[in-house]
Amino acid sequence: MNITVNGEKMDIPEGTSAAELIGVLGLSDKRVAVELNRVILQAGSFAGTVLGEGDTLEVLSFVGGG
Amino acid sequence: MYKIKINERFVEFPDAPKLMEVRAKFKPDADLVIHNGFPTPDNLLLADGDSVVLIRKGEKPPKDELEALITARHTPGVTEKVKSARVGIAGLGGLGSSVAIALARVGVGELVLADFDVVEPSNLNRQQYFVDQIGKPKVEAMDENLRRINPYVRNVLHRVVLDAKNIPEIFGGVDVLVEAFDTAEMKAVLTNAMAGSCPGVPVVVSSGVAGHGPSNTITTSKFSNNYYVVGDRVTEAAAGVGLMAPRVGVAAHHQANCVLRLLLGECGSESN
């Protein structure tokens, strides 16, 4: 199944959740904001959000400091 | 009739007046003459609707003129637009304290400021506090400092540990929210909480402001509809990589300028 993450094409297995994708990308789900098809996912919904063919995601992984 | 704003009062002239005639008539001892936000020695012919500010250096202005004189160097039209705005700042550390000062100087009508912490010595390398404020809650110290800069800004103070539940409660009614936390986890908490509860509120978040790398790697970019990210997105505060006034200040002023542009309705493209 093909999706686009931060402008790059990615091939992932059917049924992959947003939480699983965050893991595949090597990121922490506590430090990211995820936009799926132009809408930011709500906190706590990553595991229950199953990705579909053609989905477009922007994943913002925060780093500390301020 | 020609309507000219002179030190915030409208005065009508039957014919187009010249700048130095206005100075001679209204404040002949003024040594600073500002026309539409720009100081000039020239005897310009004024146009209807122009703004003139006359300042005598060293003179303490009357209270009813001070507000106009503070914003005399603003681009015309900015003051009126920001004065009715309410901006939230979540966290008053290196980013938030500098953002607050920039927005107070520009004359944002109301600042909603939230932070749980007190001023401590290691804050002073980048945060806008003073030695004699050590031990004071940051919201109180910042309120004092902002009122000394621009007493016409209303500050609403929340000394509270922010979390996913109270962030939308405290900031749901602002026109723009600035995320100015230290930890990556709280940056994510705020983004996700506001996106879920208040998707209509534009948010300016930060990520990647540590160290002393090049200033020009700090950018303002759009993450999602209504979400702007300031920073290089990479450089994390860590052992060996500190947080210092210059680069944190560059990022804070990116955030403040993004807020100003949002309030003026000039944001919206992919890059800002």
Side-chain angles (χ1 to χ4, degrees):
Chain A
M1 184 175 79
N2 289 304
I3 60 169
T4 305
V5 180
N6 293 348
E8 307 270 324
K9 295 273 181 226
M10 246 182 109
D11 191 3
I12 58 167
E14 296 272 343
T16 300
S17 71
E20 288 164 339
L21 176 70
I22 291 163
V24 168
L25 295 172
L27 303 173
S28 155
D29 64 356
K30 297 268 187 283
R31 295 174 161 222
V32 295
V34 180
E35 184 201 57
L36 171 60
N37 301 330
R38 311 298 291 169
V39 177
I40 295 178
L41 294 181
Q42 294 198 30
S45 69
F46 296 164
T49 302
V50 176
L51 302 177
E53 173 72 31
D55 278 351
T56 299
L57 296 103
E58 290 290 326
V59 180
L60 172 61
S61 180
F62 288 105
V63 299
Chain B
M1 290 296 253
Y2 290 80
K3 214 173 178 184
I4 309 292
K5 194 155 88 171
I6 302 167
N7 286 18
E8 211 53 18
R9 286 187 196 85
F10 282 102
V11 180
E12 292 193 340
F13 296 84
D15 304 304
K18 285 190 145 185
L19 188 56
M20 292 307 151
E21 292 165 11
V22 168
R23 171 177 175 270
K25 187 167 176 197
F26 291 90
K27 200 168 181 63
D29 61 352
D31 42 25
L32 188 58
V33 179
I34 302 172
H35 170 244
N36 290 347
F38 193 70
T40 180
D42 300 332
N43 193 18
L44 305 168
L45 190 64
L46 300 177
D48 189 38
D50 275 3
S51 156
V52 176
V53 175
L54 305 167
I55 292 177
R56 170 79 182 160
K57 287 188 186 178
E59 180 182 276
K60 277 208 173 173
K63 277 214 167 83
D64 59 341
E65 279 189 15
L66 177 62
E67 187 172 11
L69 302 192
I70 288 174
T71 57
R73 292 298 308 269
H74 278 25
T75 301
V78 167
T79 305
E80 296 75 9
K81 283 186 181 160
V82 301
K83 201 169 160 54
S84 60
R86 180 188 293 144
V87 175
I89 303 177
L92 288 177
L95 294 166
S97 64
S98 288
V99 171
I101 285 181
L103 295 181
R105 289 193 191 281
V106 88
V108 167
E110 185 171 301
L111 295 175
V112 180
L113 308 172
D115 195 293
F116 72 93
D117 216 349
V118 298
V119 178
E120 47 88 358
S122 79
N123 298 151
L124 297 181
N125 81 329
R126 66 190 187 287
Q127 305 186 18
Q128 306 297 339
Y129 303 102
F130 299 95
V131 169
D132 60 13
Q133 294 179 316
I134 288 171
K136 200 168 258 196
K138 287 184 182 177
V139 286
E140 285 176 27
M142 188 44 56
D143 182 47
E144 281 176 10
N145 299 346
L146 297 178
R147 282 190 286 117
R148 287 182 67 192
I149 290 166
N150 187 343
Y152 303 97
V153 176
R154 282 184 309 283
N155 303 316
V156 178
L157 310 179
H158 295 273
R159 188 175 180 205
V160 63
V161 177
L162 292 168
D163 57 34
K165 186 171 176 292
N166 64 18
I167 285 170
E169 291 166 3
I170 290 172
F171 297 114
V174 301
D175 297 308
V176 184
L177 175 58
V178 175
E179 175 279 304
F181 291 127
D182 197 14
T183 70
E185 288 78 5
M186 279 307 296
K187 292 170 188 292
V189 164
L190 180 143
T191 302
N192 294 324
M194 289 299 288
S197 303
C198 317
V201 176
V203 180
V204 183
V205 302
S206 61
S207 186
V209 303
H212 54 269
S215 303
N216 288 350
T217 53
I218 289 179
T219 60
T220 304
S221 55
K222 203 164 181 180
F223 163 61
S224 182
N225 185 35
N226 265 348
Y227 278 75
Y228 299 86
V229 186
V230 165
D232 65 17
R233 300 198 185 201
V234 176
T235 312
E236 182 156 29
V241 185
L243 288 167
M244 290 163 288
R247 202 157 187 266
V248 173
V250 168
H253 288 88
H254 263 262
Q255 287 188 291
N257 197 44
C258 186
V259 171
L260 180 58
R261 289 172 53 71
L262 283 161
L263 295 178
L264 297 176
E266 292 176 21
C267 257
S269 61
E270 281 303 305
S271 175
N272 281 281

